[in-house]
C-alpha cells in the first residue's frame, strides 16, 4: 500500500515538474485572462454560453492542478510553507464560487485574480514580486520623508498663496494635493504663472519642490527596488547553482563500481533465464 502511494507521489512529482505541464498551465492562465476580458464585451448569446462552459473547464482544470501539486509535495506543512502555494489555493478555492445569484460580482472578481497565477508559475516574475515586497520597508521610509517635504511645502504654499487662489492653496491638505499635481507635471506651469503674477520669484518654490520630489526621491525609490532586486537575483542564482553542479558532476568510482555490479547481476539473471 505504501509502495503504491509512494509510486503515485513520484508520478505526480514528475507531472508537476514537467516543463510541458507547466507550459500548459501558463497557457490555460492566458486563456482564462482572455475569456475574462471577452466577458466585458457585448457578445452573441451562443458565444456567452461557450465562454461559460470554457470558464467551468478552466476552473475544474485549476482545481485538478492544485490537487496534483498538493499530493506531489512532501506533506501539507511543506506545501503551505510556500506563500505562493497559499496564494494559488485561495485563488482556486475562490474560483469555485458559482458565478450566479447575489455572489456573481464576487465570483467574477475572484476569477479576475486568476491572472495573477501567472506570477506564481514563472520564477522570474516571482523574483520581481518578492523584490518589490522586500523593498516596501525601504520605500516606506522614503515615502515618509516625502510626506514631510510635502507637508512643509504645503504649509508654506498655503501661507503665501492662499489669497491668490483659495481653491488651490486654501489650507495645508488642499495645498498638498496641489503640490501632488505639480509633482506629476499635470498643468503645473499654469499654477506657477498664477502665483508669479503676484510673486515673481515664486518659481524658486516650484523648481526646488520638483527637484526634490520628481528627481531625488523618485531615484531613491528606484534605487531601493534595484538594490533588493539585485540581491534576489543573486539568491536565485545561488539556488540554481548547486542543481547545475550536481547535474554536471561526473559519477564517482564507487557509483561506477555499483553500476557495474548491477549490470553483471542483470546479465547473470538473463543467462539463467535463457538456460
Amino acid at each position: 500500500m505504501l509502495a503504491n502511494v509512494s509510486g503515485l507521489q513520484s508520478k505526480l512529482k514528475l507531472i508537476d515538474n514537467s516543463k510541458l505541464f507547466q507550459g500548459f498551465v501558463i497557457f490555460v492562465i492566458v486563456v482564462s485572462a482572455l475569456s475574462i476580458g471577452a466577458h466585458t464585451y457585448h457578445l452573441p448569446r451562443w458565444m456567452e454560453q461557450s465562454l461559460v462552459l470554457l470558464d467551468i473547464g478552466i476552473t475544474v482544470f485549476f482545481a485538478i492542478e492544485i490537487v496534483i501539486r498538493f499530493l506531489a509535495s512532501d506533506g501539507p506543512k511543506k506545501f503551505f510553507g510556500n506563500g505562493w502555494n497559499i496564494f494559488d489555493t485561495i485563488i482556486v478555492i475562490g474560483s469555485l464560487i458559482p458565478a450566479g445569484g447575489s455572489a456573481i460580482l464576487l465570483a467574477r472578481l475572484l476569477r479576475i485574480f486568476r491572472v495573477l497565477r501567472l506570477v506564481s508559475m514563472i520564477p522570474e516574475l516571482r523574483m520581481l514580486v518578492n523584490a518589490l515586497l522586500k523593498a516596501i520597508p525601504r520605500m516606506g521610509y522614503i515615502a515618509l520623508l516625502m510626506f514631510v517635504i510635502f507637508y512643509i511645502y504645503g504649509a508654506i504654499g498655503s501661507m503665501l498663496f492662499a489669497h491668490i487662489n483659495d481653491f488651490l492653496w486654501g489650507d495645508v491638505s488642499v495645498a498638498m494635493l496641489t503640490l501632488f499635481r505639480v509633482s506629476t507635471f499635470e498643468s503645473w506651469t499654469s499654477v506657477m504663472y498664477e502665483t508669479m503674477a503676484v510673486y515673481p520669484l515664486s518659481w524658486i518654490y516650484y523648481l526646488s519642490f520638483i527637484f526634490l520630489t520628481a528627481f531625488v526621491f523618485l531615484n531613491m525609490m528606484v534605487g531601493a527596488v534595484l538594490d533588493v532586486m539585485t540581491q534576489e537575483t543573486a539568491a536565485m542564482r545561488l539556488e540554481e547553482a548547486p542543481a547545475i553542479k550536481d547535474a554536471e558532476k561526473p559519477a564517482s568510482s564507487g557509483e561506477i563500481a555499483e553500476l557495474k555490479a548491477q549490470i553483471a547481476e542483470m546479465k547473470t539473471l538473463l543467462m539463467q533465464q535463457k538456460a
Side-chain angles (χ1 to χ4, degrees), residues 1-267:
M1 182 66 181
L2 292 174
N4 292 334
V5 172
S6 178
L8 177 62
Q9 188 179 36
S10 299
K11 291 179 181 178
L12 292 176
K13 282 184 177 180
L14 288 175
I15 295 173
D16 185 37
N17 295 327
S18 170
K19 295 291 183 182
L20 182 63
F21 180 72
Q22 293 178 0
F24 185 71
V25 173
I26 293 172
F27 171 76
V28 174
I29 292 172
V30 173
V31 172
S32 174
L34 294 176
S35 68
I36 291 169
H39 278 295
T40 62
Y41 293 91
H42 296 288
L43 302 172
R45 185 171 180 80
W46 66 269
M47 189 173 291
E48 289 184 355
Q49 292 176 348
S50 300
L51 288 175
V52 170
L53 293 175
L54 178 63
D55 184 74
I56 293 172
I58 290 172
T59 302
V60 172
F61 173 78
F62 281 148
I64 294 172
E65 184 259 340
I66 204 71
V67 169
I68 290 174
R69 285 170 55 187
F70 177 78
L71 295 177
S73 65
D74 299 326
K77 187 176 180 181
K78 182 74 172 179
F79 180 80
F80 291 110
N82 188 332
W84 289 109
N85 289 337
I86 297 174
F87 173 79
D88 289 343
T89 304
I90 293 172
I91 295 298
V92 171
I93 293 174
S95 299
L96 296 175
I97 297 175
S102 59
I104 185 170
L105 180 60
L106 177 62
R108 286 180 177 177
L109 288 174
L110 289 172
R111 279 164 171 75
I112 291 172
F113 284 104
R114 289 192 306 203
V115 182
L116 289 175
R117 291 205 59 205
L118 196 65
V119 177
S120 64
M121 293 301 301
I122 301 177
E124 287 75 13
L125 291 181
R126 288 203 304 267
M127 185 269 293
L128 291 175
V129 174
N130 288 334
L132 181 61
L133 292 175
K134 290 183 179 180
I136 286 176
R138 301 187 188 183
M139 294 169 65
Y141 289 116
I142 299 172
L144 180 60
L145 184 57
M146 285 181 66
F147 175 79
V148 172
I149 298 299
F150 266 82
Y151 188 83
I152 292 172
Y153 272 82
I156 294 172
S158 180
M159 292 176 186
L160 295 177
F161 310 136
H163 66 284
I164 299 174
N165 190 331
D166 186 68
F167 181 75
L168 295 179
W169 306 99
D171 54 52
V172 175
S173 58
V174 173
M176 290 174 69
L177 285 175
T178 303
L179 288 172
F180 183 78
R181 170 184 166 182
V182 172
S183 67
T184 59
F185 302 107
E186 178 63 30
S187 301
W188 71 278
T189 52
S190 61
V191 179
M192 181 181 68
Y193 292 144
E194 185 181 35
T195 59
M196 282 180 65
V198 180
Y199 299 105
L201 294 178
S202 62
W203 61 268
I204 299 174
Y205 171 85
Y206 294 98
L207 293 185
S208 62
F209 175 77
I210 289 173
F211 176 78
L212 286 173
T213 56
F215 297 109
V216 176
F217 289 118
L218 180 61
N219 286 327
M220 289 173 68
M221 286 282 191
V222 174
V225 175
L226 287 177
D227 184 36
V228 177
M229 196 177 296
T230 302
Q231 296 175 8
E232 286 295 308
T233 304
M236 188 172 70
R237 288 177 178 174
L238 285 174
E239 289 178 0
E240 294 174 351
I244 295 172
K245 287 181 179 179
D246 291 340
E248 296 178 350
K249 184 180 178 181
S252 62
S253 57
E255 291 173 343
I256 294 173
E258 184 179 354
L259 184 61
K260 287 181 178 179
Q262 291 176 357
I263 293 172
E265 186 178 352
M266 290 174 65
K267 285 182 178 179

